[in-house]
Amino acid sequence: MTITTLSTRPAPAPSGAGGDPAARARARRSRLLHWIAVHTVAVAAALFFLLPFVFVFLTSVMSDNQAMSGELWPHEWHWSNYLTVFRTPGFLDWWKNSLLYAGLGTLLTVCSAVPVAYALAKFHFRGRRTAMILVISTMMLPPQVIVIPMYLVWAQQLHLSGSLWPLIIPMAFGDAYSIFLLRQFLLTIPQEYLESAKVDGCGELRTLLRIVVPMARPGIAAIALFQFFYCWNDYFGPQIYAAQNPASWTLSYGLESFKSAHSVNWNLTMAATLLVMAPVIIVFFLAQKAFVEGVTLTGVKG
């Protein structure tokens, strides 16, 4: 008779475990080197994009003599440069005009794009594909092609030149890129939710407001941010319609005039540049989560 004896010897400890300090140190160094290898490119890219903002900020708080002298660190921090920029005649008006243009334009774009995108995504009607092709085709048309006839309509027929209204009013009739992006997002919403709402007695408008809009918040946030950034940074439009009226200038267009008037005061120019960029940067970081989610969830269906 053969008797099998079970060994009670403990299994060997895994490599690097136990109380060996040298093994733990080697494991930590290995993890650190792996992290550095993976993130080196990302860190280098982040520094590449961050350094210009650091340069603009440091120059904005320098004195007139030190700015652009080759010295990168200010001897004294002149925070009064920002106050000087705000006291420049017309700068606060440019701020108000930019907020009006970007805020009202974004609101009108969202309100007009949501129902159109909903119809193109969820309604089944003859010519839906043709309508979508027409929307996409308008995205391929450069704005310079229609600027002359549009200017003649707004200036000679409606007498609205010298203001921002020729740029704001058309946004109430939709924006092709916003409609396309939001339509792609709405395609990801299951049809069952809409059918359940209709079974409960909801009409199309109530279904849109109570079901679709809450579920499409990331997509709506994405198109709102895109439109806000476009309006805030727009230089071509204000140059065409508001150039002859300084009271209607925006920050993007007024900054060119400010730079010409303070061409030797680089510290003030950099301070004004930072004040123009600050709202866009703040808005992006505050809404970054919704923005990224809205962009990544589009294009799932088509």
Side-chain angles (χ1 to χ4, degrees), residues 117-118 120-122 132 136 177-189 219 223 294-302:
Y118 174 63
L120 292 175
K122 298 301 182 181
M132 193 63 206
I136 296 177
Y177 180 74
S178 300
I179 293 172
F180 170 75
L181 189 66
L182 188 58
R183 182 250 183 189
Q184 297 301 108
F185 186 91
L186 294 181
L187 288 175
T188 64
I189 298 178
I223 67 170
V295 173
T296 54
L297 290 180
T298 55
V300 177
K301 297 183 180 180

Side-chain angles (χ1 to χ4, degrees), residues 54-63 67-68 81 266-267 270:
V54 175
F55 174 76
V56 169
F57 170 71
L58 292 178
T59 306
S60 69
V61 293
M62 291 180 180
S63 61
M68 296 300 178
N81 291 340
W266 282 104
N267 55 340
M270 293 299 180

Side-chain angles (χ1 to χ4, degrees), residues 17-250:
D20 188 357
R24 290 199 300 269
R26 286 194 300 269
R28 284 195 298 268
R29 284 196 299 270
S30 177
R31 289 194 296 268
L32 178 61
L33 292 175
H34 177 74
W35 186 92
I36 293 175
V38 172
H39 294 84
T40 296
V41 177
V43 171
L47 291 176
F48 179 78
F49 286 102
L50 184 62
L51 286 177
F53 294 97
V54 175
F55 174 76
V56 169
F57 170 71
L58 292 178
T59 306
S60 69
V61 293
M62 291 180 180
S63 61
D64 292 340
N65 297 328
Q66 187 184 1
M68 296 300 178
S69 63
E71 299 180 3
L72 299 179
W73 196 260
H75 298 160
E76 296 181 359
W77 298 77
H78 294 267
W79 300 103
S80 59
N81 291 340
Y82 294 99
L83 186 60
T84 302
V85 172
F86 269 110
R87 289 176 176 174
T88 301
F91 192 83
L92 288 179
D93 292 333
W94 303 342
W95 258 85
K96 295 176 183 177
N97 294 333
S98 293
L99 288 175
L100 175 66
Y101 180 24
L104 190 57
T106 301
L107 179 63
L108 291 176
T109 298
V110 170
C111 292
S112 58
V114 169
V116 177
Y118 174 63
L120 292 175
K122 298 301 182 181
F123 287 4
H124 298 280
F125 56 91
R126 181 178 299 178
R128 184 180 69 163
R129 186 177 296 273
T130 302
M132 193 63 206
I133 293 175
L134 290 176
V135 170
I136 296 177
S137 64
T138 59
M139 297 168 53
M140 305 177 185
L141 190 65
Q144 292 80 5
V145 174
I146 60 174
V147 64
I148 294 179
M150 291 298 296
Y151 180 81
L152 293 178
V153 171
W154 290 110
Q156 297 186 1
Q157 303 297 326
L158 302 178
H159 306 287
L160 289 176
S161 61
S163 67
L164 295 174
W165 292 113
L167 301 174
I168 297 175
I169 295 176
M171 296 181 188
F173 301 95
D175 174 71
Y177 180 74
S178 300
I179 293 172
F180 170 75
L181 189 66
L182 188 58
R183 182 250 183 189
Q184 297 301 108
F185 186 91
L186 294 181
L187 288 175
T188 64
I189 298 178
Q191 188 69 24
E192 290 76 10
Y193 288 101
L194 280 65
E195 294 175 355
S196 299
K198 294 176 182 178
V199 169
D200 292 338
C202 294
E204 295 294 348
L205 180 60
R206 189 176 179 184
T207 301
L208 173 63
L209 298 178
R210 300 291 298 272
I211 306 298
V212 176
V213 170
M215 298 182 66
R217 285 178 182 174
I220 295 175
I223 67 170
L225 285 176
F226 275 127
Q227 192 64 26
F228 183 86
F229 295 159
Y230 167 78
C231 295
W232 189 269
N233 297 320
D234 186 19
Y235 179 86
F236 181 73
Q239 183 186 29
I240 296 298
Y241 293 105
Q244 64 270 33
N245 183 15
S248 298
W249 288 0
T250 59

